[in-house]
Amino acid sequence: MDVIEIIGGKPLKGKVRISGSKNAALPILASTLLTNSKVRLTNIPNLSDIFSMIELLKSLNVKIYKKSNYYTFKSDTPKSLIASYELVRKMRASFLILGPLLSRYGYAKVSLPGGCAIGTRPVDLHLDGLKRMGASFAIKNGYVHGSVKGKLKGTSINFKKKSVGATENLIMAATLAEGKTIINNAAQEPEIDDLCNFLIQIGAKIKGHGTNVITIEGVKKLNGGEFGVMPDRIEAGTFALSVLGCSGNLILTGVNNEIYKHLKDIFKPIKLLKLKKIDNKSFCIEKVKNGELNLKITTKEYPGFPTDLQAQLTSALLKIQGFNEINEKIFENRFMHISELRRMGAKIRKKGSKVEITGVKEIYGAELMATDLRASSCLIIAGLMAKGKTIINRVYHLDRGYENIEKKLKACGAKIDRIKK
Ligand code: UD1
């Protein structure tokens, strides 16, 4: 298994091209199951989660071709409508095929994703919403067997809690349902917007995306089309936080205005980090000075501080003078990185859902174990900040969500290498 080796202590300086968004691309890929016309997608990142979704779609008779910078998809009727445990266990987002399959074919058998390192992650909201649209479910041997008599029916759904995945599954299901579906308390993440913009492009009737009430008028059939996936705001945020941890300045390219505004907003309390717009597709991030920070940041649904940047923020704050508090309110167990950071000399206390960080002068390289996707990039940031050598094991977690992160960092002055083992 590959490891990442880092010699810490270098400031970052240079240009980084941000890749297409994993969390926007995955539901868009799942939604290609809704049409038998040809769909062409650009800005799909090269990530193992994307390859897992492609493998799953191929098993459902989607013909997929990759050309230099785009993929084409053509979804023909599958022989069986089963997403096996083997495929779903690799990636939770596989569950997003449930809505499209039920909507187009009226049946699906999908393995339950189960728990993962960051928490229990149930799927009750997905199932409750689809039940309200007329689907019935039986759970047998770890699989959800979903079926619909006739077509799914539009209805009003009130989510008791905001969920990105459940909102996406329901939107996709509603595009081919009979009548109007109204989703109340919908999640508002920009990746959901991107999915809706793609679906509209291929003929869906959707209104209100980006707000917490989304209305979908079902249509008989969706068509083909072409779409470019949005840039990855979490990757952009990870590079911004690397600058906070390591000093220096980076120019991020391939981004957009929304991402610039979002990051500027969530990083506003971090006075040592400055974001400056260059043009509509690039901005600069700079650590302006050494000083003290005393933050109280709570992770929230969009437009709040994303849980997907919580671990990276923790490591970026380790050597900053002051007492900083991060409260994780989305996932109950997203703290696996803390024990690894402590092994590097970090002063961190965990109290329930809160993490308290007291700045130290130095942290030291160590051999570390990545436990999940964002914990991996958090350990990379810590390695870049540390004195001496850090070795990170289990980097397959990293490859699920960051395209060539070590090459991008190396081009900006970091001493980082992937060692093939
Ligand atoms: C998506 C993102 C993930 C991000 C998360 C929160 C993708 C592929 N993944 O995950 O990177 O960390 O949003 O921004 O886009 N919940 C329930 N019942 C459900 C579904 C969710 O209780 O049926 C809970 C979860 O346990 C969690 C909260 O709702 O506490 C939010 O989860 P959700 O927004 O669904 O996350 P995902 O869509 O899985």
Side-chain angles (χ1 to χ4, degrees), residues 124-363:
D124 55 319
L125 299 170
H126 301 239
L127 300 185
D128 289 351
L130 290 165
K131 272 186 208 160
R132 290 219 15 109
M133 298 182 76
S136 332
F137 294 104
I139 312 247
K140 277 187 233 153
N141 309 109
Y143 280 80
V144 174
H145 298 245
S147 56
V148 187
K149 281 204 183 97
K151 301 278 302 169
L152 287 172
K153 306 270 183 310
T155 183
S156 182
I157 291 152
N158 299 302
F159 279 131
K160 58 177 195 275
K161 182 174 185 178
K162 281 193 184 206
S163 155
V164 175
T167 302
E168 291 166 342
N169 233 335
L170 267 287
I171 291 172
M172 292 188 277
T175 55
L176 293 179
E178 272 170 7
K180 189 193 275 184
T181 302
I182 302 171
I183 306 176
N184 295 298
N185 200 24
Q188 288 167 251
E189 270 65 7
E191 293 77 16
I192 301 175
D193 246 24
D194 218 42
L195 167 68
C196 290
N197 288 332
F198 165 65
L199 290 169
I200 291 168
Q201 181 88 356
I202 61 169
K205 290 192 175 160
I206 305 176
K207 284 196 179 130
H209 45 299
T211 76
N212 62 355
V213 182
I214 303 177
T215 307
I216 306 110
E217 186 79 56
V219 294
K220 287 223 154 54
K221 194 174 175 299
L222 291 173
N223 314 309
E226 216 178 305
F227 192 77
V229 172
M230 67 177 277
D232 198 312
R233 70 186 163 105
I234 302 301
E235 189 195 6
T238 300
F239 279 102
L241 291 170
S242 314
V243 172
L244 178 66
C246 302
S247 297
N249 60 74
L250 291 179
I251 293 173
L252 303 189
T253 64
V255 285
N256 62 28
N257 241 330
E258 285 67 43
I259 291 178
Y260 168 70
K261 281 196 211 139
H262 172 55
L263 293 187
K264 206 165 160 73
D265 195 44
I266 60 168
F267 292 149
K268 200 169 174 186
I270 309 178
K271 302 286 181 216
L272 311 181
L273 202 59
K274 284 275 171 282
L275 272 72
K276 218 167 96 197
K277 187 168 157 175
I278 298 171
D279 56 37
N280 283 339
K281 289 190 168 177
S282 55
F283 58 85
C284 173
I285 302 151
E286 191 180 0
K287 180 161 180 218
V288 282
K289 54 183 172 192
N290 284 321
E292 199 173 311
L293 282 177
N294 292 288
L295 306 170
K296 276 188 195 313
I297 288 187
T298 299
T299 61
K300 292 197 183 94
E301 293 92 355
Y302 189 85
F305 194 94
T307 172
D308 283 355
L309 288 176
Q310 177 257 113
Q312 300 91 311
L313 175 63
T314 304
S315 51
L317 290 171
L318 295 178
K319 283 171 63 181
I320 289 176
Q321 224 186 311
F323 179 79
N324 290 288
E325 232 178 72
I326 309 175
N327 199 350
E328 171 57 62
K329 286 306 227 188
I330 306 294
F331 292 112
E332 72 278 11
N333 194 28
R334 206 167 201 181
F335 304 109
M336 310 278 280
H337 48 282
I338 290 179
S339 48
E340 296 300 271
L341 296 177
R342 281 199 192 116
R343 295 181 51 242
M344 303 176 82
K347 211 168 158 198
I348 307 183
R349 240 176 34 161
K350 188 179 159 304
K351 270 200 207 154
S353 65
K354 268 190 202 152
V355 180
E356 297 173 346
I357 305 145
T358 307
V360 290
K361 278 221 160 59
E362 197 55 88
I363 58 168

